Amino acid sequence: MAHIARSSRTIRPLLLCLCFLLASAQGACAENAASAGSSEWIFIPFPIYTPETGAAMTLCAIGTFRGPQQSAASSSLIALAYSEKEQLSLEFNPSISFGSTVRTSARVAFEDWPDEFFGLGNDTRRGDREHFASRNTVARIELQHSLGNDFWMGPIIDWKRYRIRDIEEGGLLETHLPDGIDGGTLAGLGIAVSHDTRDDTFFPFAGHFIQINAVRYTQQLGSDYSFARTTLDSRQYIAVGGRHVLALHQYASINRGTVPFQELSMLGDSSPALMRGYYSGRFRDRDMAVLQAEYRVSLPPGPWALAFFAGTGAVGRNLGELASEDLKWSGGAGLRYRASRTEAVNLRLDLARAEDSSGIYFNVFEAF
């Protein structure tokens, strides 16, 4: 799943609505090239605007593929964004199934894009926000093999090279000098174990997906920082009537060691979307726990659907601290449009509200 428009409160609402209608029209006209299996490409151009980037243009291409022996569909997403300030983001996200025994997912990206830092912890103030920019080169791959009975297991390779720039003089980053402020290289190896009974990978109506990742970043692999990260991603889908589904999501992230501030656990829209309505990184710390739900309503007989969602969570220095932190909340509603003729690939337009912010999101694929 890829993140298309990350800034929630700065994107102009009317412009996003027009973009959503344009993308919906293009999705309806997408060509279907079917052979022994099926394949399809969808192209979605849309403009965005933020104070940090100025005007920017994004071009997104989504491909779906299903061979005659594939029980699950494969997908590939390519997203290119370029702003009037000569900022660039290029991302490639394939997720491919080889028959019913092997599947792989990857993310390869180059980002020269603005960001925001609010400090560390669960009680940071919105008024302390400061802008900076980072230049990142990212490569991550997960390869899993079927163990039978819907269990999967395999290695994770994660590599990232980044540089922090345009730091505000006298700001939080310059005065607090968090780990990672000097940039550097991350290199990690790990393992993923999952149990997947979903009836569809794009828009499930039943089943569950549970995955545990454990990755270790060490100097022996060429990493400038040594730390370990463990994540739990648990999703359940409950059919309600013929065309309604209740989706539940529990997510936890634990980090130990010298963790760069950009790699800490963060609330906010990302992949997966953790509490839409918050800027990604609005709250960040070593550990995080999030619980969220979404009720999805398909509207017959056309390709439209509605979604209503809510979530709560917190970040902290350790798991024990999470229990004593004030829980954050967010919620909202959204519109879905099925852009593919062959797979349940949705464009989504979400309006979200959090404690001290709100957001509008235009994205591809479901939030979780």
Side-chain angles (χ1 to χ4, degrees):
M1 181 183 302
H3 175 241
I4 303 302
R6 70 172 296 185
S7 178
S8 54
R9 49 187 174 67
T10 55
I11 298 176
R12 294 182 176 180
L14 292 179
L15 187 58
L16 261 182
C17 292
L18 292 175
C19 296
F20 182 78
L21 294 176
L22 172 63
S24 300
Q26 290 210 341
C29 297
E31 295 184 358
N32 181 8
S35 56
S38 62
S39 65
E40 183 177 19
W41 279 96
I42 306 164
F43 299 92
I44 309 167
F46 59 94
I48 62 175
Y49 180 91
T50 75
E52 294 80 23
T53 64
M57 187 67 189
T58 296
L59 175 63
C60 181
I62 308 108
T64 59
F65 321 90
R66 188 189 293 267
Q69 304 301 321
Q70 285 183 272
S71 58
S74 300
S75 65
S76 182
L77 186 145
I78 304 171
L80 172 66
Y82 187 77
S83 77
E84 64 176 322
K85 298 182 180 180
E86 300 183 348
Q87 296 154 326
L88 175 69
S89 175
L90 176 62
E91 183 170 350
F92 175 49
N93 285 97
S95 180
I96 302 173
S97 296
F98 298 92
S100 59
T101 58
V102 177
R103 62 187 186 186
T104 181
S105 62
R107 180 175 185 258
V108 180
F110 173 79
E111 305 160 326
D112 188 356
W113 212 251
D115 208 336
E116 293 185 352
F117 182 70
F118 299 81
L120 305 180
N122 202 57
D123 299 313
T124 56
R125 298 180 301 177
R126 187 180 179 188
D128 290 336
R129 176 181 69 237
E130 68 176 72
H131 305 295
F132 70 98
S134 63
R135 178 173 294 175
N136 308 320
T137 304
V138 180
R140 179 185 175 94
I141 184 169
E142 296 183 18
L143 179 65
Q144 294 192 343
H145 192 279
S146 174
L147 303 178
N149 297 320
D150 300 313
F151 282 96
W152 300 77
M153 185 172 68
I156 300 172
I157 302 173
D158 195 14
W159 183 89
K160 182 177 181 179
R161 176 72 178 176
Y162 71 99
R163 180 169 66 89
I164 307 298
R165 59 184 182 85
D166 297 340
I167 297 174
E168 293 185 12
E169 184 176 353
L172 289 173
L173 289 173
E174 185 178 78
T175 56
H176 287 71
L177 295 176
D179 291 327
I181 191 62
D182 295 324
T185 299
L186 301 178
L189 285 176
I191 190 169
V193 180
S194 63
H195 190 241
D196 189 355
T197 65
R198 293 173 295 177
D199 59 350
D200 186 89
T201 55
F202 298 121
F203 194 88
F205 275 84
H208 64 256
F209 171 81
I210 302 172
Q211 179 162 312
I212 298 175
N213 290 353
V215 182
R216 177 71 182 178
Y217 301 83
T218 67
Q219 295 179 349
Q220 288 78 6
L221 297 172
S223 180
D224 293 324
Y225 302 91
S226 296
F227 65 100
R229 172 184 295 134
T230 303
T231 60
L232 168 65
D233 190 341
S234 176
R235 313 175 189 194
Q236 298 85 38
Y237 304 93
I238 304 168
V240 182
R243 302 180 64 87
H244 298 194
V245 59
L246 174 63
L248 303 174
H249 187 208
Q250 301 89 38
Y251 191 91
S253 174
I254 301 171
N255 292 278
R256 294 294 179 268
T258 305
V259 189
F261 76 95
Q262 282 191 299
E263 300 297 314
L264 292 169
S265 303
M266 294 186 288
L267 293 182
D269 185 61
S270 57
S271 180
L274 299 174
M275 298 180 64
R276 283 155 284 178
Y278 290 105
Y279 186 91
S280 183
R282 172 65 182 87
F283 298 99
R284 72 177 82 196
D285 214 322
R286 288 180 177 269
D287 296 350
M288 173 180 65
V290 171
L291 172 63
Q292 49 189 3
E294 184 166 293
Y295 192 80
R296 300 165 183 169
V297 181
S298 298
L299 302 177
W304 298 92
L306 299 175
F308 306 90
F309 53 88
T312 184
V315 300
R317 294 287 295 175
N318 52 63
L319 292 177
E321 187 176 308
L322 284 177
S324 62
E325 292 288 356
D326 292 332
L327 292 176
K328 310 301 179 185
W329 63 266
S330 68
L335 184 65
R336 305 290 183 267
Y337 177 82
R338 178 166 173 165
S340 171
R341 296 178 181 178
T342 60
E343 302 291 345
V345 174
N346 284 341
L347 307 179
R348 61 181 175 92
L349 180 65
D350 288 332
L351 285 73
R353 176 67 184 175
E355 290 184 9
D356 60 358
S357 61
S358 60
I360 301 176
Y361 302 88
F362 179 44
N363 217 318
V364 183
F365 304 127
E366 297 306 312
F368 53 85

